[in-house]
Amino acid sequence: MRICQLSHVETAFNFLAPLFDALDEDGHDVVAASNMDHDGVVLRQYLGSGFDFHQVKVSRTITVRAFTTEIVELARYLSREKFDVLHLHGPLAAVQGRLAARLARVPVVVNHAHGFYFHEGMRPLPRAVHVAMERLLGRFLTDYTITVNEEDRQFALHNGFAADPAHVIGTPGVGIDARRFRPLGRDVGARVRREWGVPDEDLVVTFVGRLVTEKGILELASAFAELANDQPAWLWLVGDVSPTERDQAALHRLDDLQRRDPAVARRTIRLGQRWDVPEVLAATDIFVLPSYREGMPVSLLEAMACGVPVIATDVRGCREAIAGGEGGELVPVRDAAALAEALRKLAADPDERRRLGAAGLARVEDRYTTTHGVAPVVGLYRRIAASRSAPAPHRTSRLRQLSRRVLPAAVRRRLAGCPRWQIAVQHVTDPAGWAADRTDLVFPESELDDLGLQFVADPFAVQRDGVWHLFFEQVRKGETRGEIATAWSRDLVNWTYAGVVLAEPFHLSYPHLVVLGGDTYMIPEVSETASVRLYRAAAFPERWELADVILEGHAFKDSTLLEHDGSYYLFTETSVRHTHDELRLFVAADVRGPWTEHPASPVVAGAVDAARPAGRVHRIGGRLLRFSQCCGQRYGGGVEGHVIDRLSRTEFRESPLPRRVLRPTGAGWNARASHHIDAHRVDDGWIRFVDGHR
């Protein structure tokens, strides 16, 4: 896709470089559009030379021209460039861009809210106006809204900023480059101290950001003056103020404050714009960000990533970044006295500084790295690309998808009847190949009748002591609730039905088997309980007991566990209306949890043939191969394969196999449907347990 990333302020692209790189790696054509006050030099510094830069002349303040001729000119630009997606950064750009995009008929508009313009410190009437405007623009001129903190995401959801709540995407900030921002050691910082004549034993307090009133620099100057009267200390102000910045008065007021106390003024150094911020932070004892409002403050997270103890104001973004005070000190907004007291406290306690520095570093590593911030946005673009490239559904498919959204699953099952699903064993050369050398049914239809079963499906097998144990969903005749049953065989041809091994008051299916150490576990689908339940074999294979409820809160379907490189990964389909198009990924260090959602989750969104698991993840030929059910044309339309190219606690990437692995044959026992594969290597090749119905 051709994507325009638009921001009126060039410095915004400093934080967007990882997103540009990730979208470029996914094959998109990404353009940076901005005022470019310095002929693209700043953009090139941030983004390198691999992207196109377009200059757009727009205001940074609210003027009549900003909402008339500038919008028309912006619309002409967007129409001429024929972008597939307009991605907006900044409050004024978000307003102008959405209006211009409607005039230019840009197919998809994404508003990246780096902290909504309105905040808790704003007067009630202006705040209400801004909220109402965002609600209108969000519902009618925006396809997706991205927020960088949880408070904004919840506010957007509760105030109806999107017609579809699923189109509000939350990210933990924009991502911190942990390779660049990391503890460098005091020796590295000593060079910067020598550059400015600061003794090694003196305390250094650092601020990084725009030198404007709303960043709290006046309160910081007052608080530092009190600290400097107690001990040798220095205040470093990293950053500047643009000539076009509305707030030019803050620097003049800062000058006035410092003229009253020349001794403090001598110890206040304006370092200006620096490209060596990690080195500056290595020389810092305390980092302070006393902002009036924030989205998710990058400078604060960068300091935390460098292991520097931080003090910040108790505003959205800041309090989330430091976990309400666990990873740093919080002080009230515009309260110079409270800030001075916090500075004194940390200045006098080196042990507390070390503790807070370590806690902040751990928090960034756990939640705020580049991968954490970028992965949800890349996932959104894959979702957009899938929705734009998907072929138009057949009329009957559209009606089927509509019924999934409108009718409960139980009603749909009754209206559709209950097809005769069966299980077969296939001998194959390639478990992901199309052709089977031999196929044997586990239970012929006559045997299902003798057993009083309507159908059997979702086979999972394990071999023990020369015996194959097969677990599957069964539904008795005249019923709709599934149970888990088992059968066994020594030759994969003759099977002995062994009865029900797990039944609950709710529907059970997809008995995913996992052998871990000396224990055997089962994770059946129990979607109507809105949970993932882990059962352990108390006496294999006939007796199972509930070991734990490891996830709650969604209608988790066909949950599939994978152990990989010392971590556990759980793939599970979570579409609310059973549309089979949303695959989430969770990760844990132990199978019993705690489980957290992977930063790239949802790893599939809006793709009905790629989301719902169709059996365990297999290691085949050195590759991880994930199977998915094809549900676009109809439920049971076959099985697709996906090679997992990258999988770690922070990364996920996969690519589809060129053709379907399994599809209905048009005749015989699986004429109309197939939707499951469980493959196993045997002496003469592979076998796979599959299901289907005529």
Side-chain angles (χ1 to χ4, degrees), residues 115 303 310:
V310 299

Side-chain angles (χ1 to χ4, degrees), residues 516 561-570 586-595 619 624 647-649:
L516 299 174
L561 186 76
L562 170 66
E563 184 181 7
H564 178 67
D565 284 349
S567 295
Y568 294 92
Y569 298 89
L570 190 76
F586 295 84
V587 61
D590 185 85
V591 69
R592 295 200 179 193
W595 289 86
R619 286 183 173 86
L624 287 175
L647 178 61
S648 70
R649 295 180 71 92

Side-chain angles (χ1 to χ4, degrees), residues 324-340:
E326 293 179 15
E329 293 284 341
L330 286 173
V331 297
V333 180
R334 303 176 192 243
D335 192 333
L339 180 55

Side-chain angles (χ1 to χ4, degrees), residues 183-197:
L184 298 178
R186 199 72 176 187
D187 291 343
V188 175
R191 176 185 58 79
V192 183
R193 285 184 172 238
R194 287 194 298 270
E195 177 185 347
W196 295 99

Side-chain angles (χ1 to χ4, degrees), residues 32-54:
S34 184
N35 276 293
M36 290 204 301
D37 297 323
H38 304 285
D39 298 322
V41 173
V42 174
L43 286 180
R44 202 166 292 110
Q45 179 74 39
Y46 294 147
L47 301 176
S49 57
F51 300 97
D52 289 336
F53 304 148
H54 292 175

Side-chain angles (χ1 to χ4, degrees), residues 21-22 43 159 163 208 235 241 260 364 376 482 491-492 522 570 605 640:
D21 291 338
L43 286 180
N159 288 273
V208 178
L235 175 61
V241 57
R260 298 173 197 168
V364 172
D491 58 8
L492 295 171
M522 182 193 299
L570 190 76
E640 286 193 352

